[in-house]
Amino acid sequence: MNDQPHSLFDVAAIRTALQQSGLAPSELAFRVDFAVRSLQRILNGDPDPGEIRVATLARLANHLGLPLRSLLAAPPVTTTTAVDAEVDPVAADDAATVTALLYDRTTPTLNDHLAEALDWSLDRLQQALTEADRRLRMAGLRIVREHGESRVQPLHDHVQARRDLTQVHAHRSGLKPYEYQAAYQTYTGQAITAPNETRRRVITGGLANAGLLDLTEEEPALSAAAEFAHP
């Protein structure tokens, strides 16, 4: 029996998507705002790639052109042993099934309807949901079961925290030299210079997120807040 830990991620699917994208791992990591070392650990099938936020996984999936659930590997089928008798190979497959069915839904799903669609008993469904919850928690997600309904949601809501962090990021750590250069070029009416168009879009997007640029027109312009702060 193989007791080696398995990667949480579908390494083959991620590698294939990366190859098809034509991006180097370092470029993908830059676009996703992800440490190259952490991305390489995922690509190497490391069973413990470290703490990764759901928002980071979502950006990674978006740049690879994959649904987020496709990043996660199906639970490995193992044989039941006396030491770990509660791990049932059938339940592991069931957990992958309910995860796939629930993940992309924006509204909760009635357990009765889910069991009926799968032709399962409610006991089997509950066992699958319990196993799916255990596995999803390693990726920062969980199965919520309330009022006879089930849904997948993050363990913690980082949306507002990330929003707040974006607002103060430029004030706490300052801008990078090339961002100052781009802001000055915009202020003086020059075109923003960058090695390539992708890099230029990343720079302007970062300045827009920091509240310095307005991208609603054809060409980037200083935001009203920046002009007010620096007349």
Side-chain angles (χ1 to χ4, degrees):
M1 188 177 84
N2 184 9
D3 293 328
Q4 294 298 319
H6 294 267
S7 172
L8 175 67
F9 300 97
D10 189 335
V11 178
I14 295 174
R15 285 178 176 173
T16 299
L18 177 60
Q19 184 178 20
Q20 292 175 346
S21 72
L23 297 173
S26 58
E27 179 66 17
L28 176 61
F30 175 81
R31 295 188 182 192
V32 177
D33 191 18
F34 194 29
V36 178
R37 181 176 63 256
S38 298
L39 176 59
Q40 199 61 57
R41 291 171 71 176
I42 291 178
L43 295 173
N44 291 339
D46 192 324
D48 183 17
E51 293 187 3
I52 305 174
R53 294 181 180 274
V54 176
T56 302
L57 290 178
R59 293 197 301 274
L60 178 62
N62 183 56
H63 278 82
L64 291 175
L66 296 172
L68 181 52
R69 67 185 182 192
S70 295
L71 298 185
L72 304 179
V77 177
T78 58
T79 56
T80 304
T81 65
V83 176
D84 195 16
E86 71 275 7
V87 178
D88 183 349
V90 175
D93 288 340
D94 287 354
T97 299
V98 296
T99 299
L101 288 174
L102 292 176
Y103 189 83
D104 286 338
R105 292 186 63 83
T106 57
T107 57
T109 303
L110 284 170
N111 293 337
D112 288 344
H113 293 175
L114 192 57
E116 182 179 357
L118 294 169
D119 196 22
W120 290 356
S121 67
L122 282 175
D123 285 343
R124 180 177 176 182
L125 175 62
Q126 292 300 334
Q127 290 177 3
L129 290 169
T130 298
E131 176 65 11
D133 179 73
R134 184 183 73 82
R135 293 177 180 277
L136 284 171
R137 284 175 182 271
M138 293 185 288
L141 304 172
R142 66 184 178 124
I143 299 284
V144 177
R145 285 175 276 184
E146 296 175 333
H147 313 299
E149 299 175 329
S150 298
R151 67 183 186 277
V152 176
Q153 72 176 39
L155 277 172
H156 308 287
D157 184 5
H158 298 293
V159 175
Q160 186 58 48
R162 187 173 183 82
R163 231 182 249 128
D164 295 340
L165 180 61
T166 299
Q167 295 300 319
V168 301
H169 180 74
H171 302 284
R172 289 188 177 179
S173 61
L175 298 176
K176 296 179 177 61
Y178 59 80
E179 291 175 323
Y180 277 118
Q181 180 184 14
Y184 178 78
Q185 289 172 329
T186 303
Y187 172 70
T188 56
Q190 304 176 58
I192 295 176
T193 57
N196 52 57
E197 181 59 22
T198 299
R199 183 70 170 169
R200 179 178 178 275
R201 292 177 62 184
V202 169
I203 294 172
T204 55
L207 290 173
N209 288 338
L212 296 179
L213 291 189
D214 181 0
L215 303 182
T216 57
E217 302 295 335
E218 290 186 6
E219 293 295 327
L222 286 183
S223 66
E227 291 180 343
F228 177 80
H230 303 285

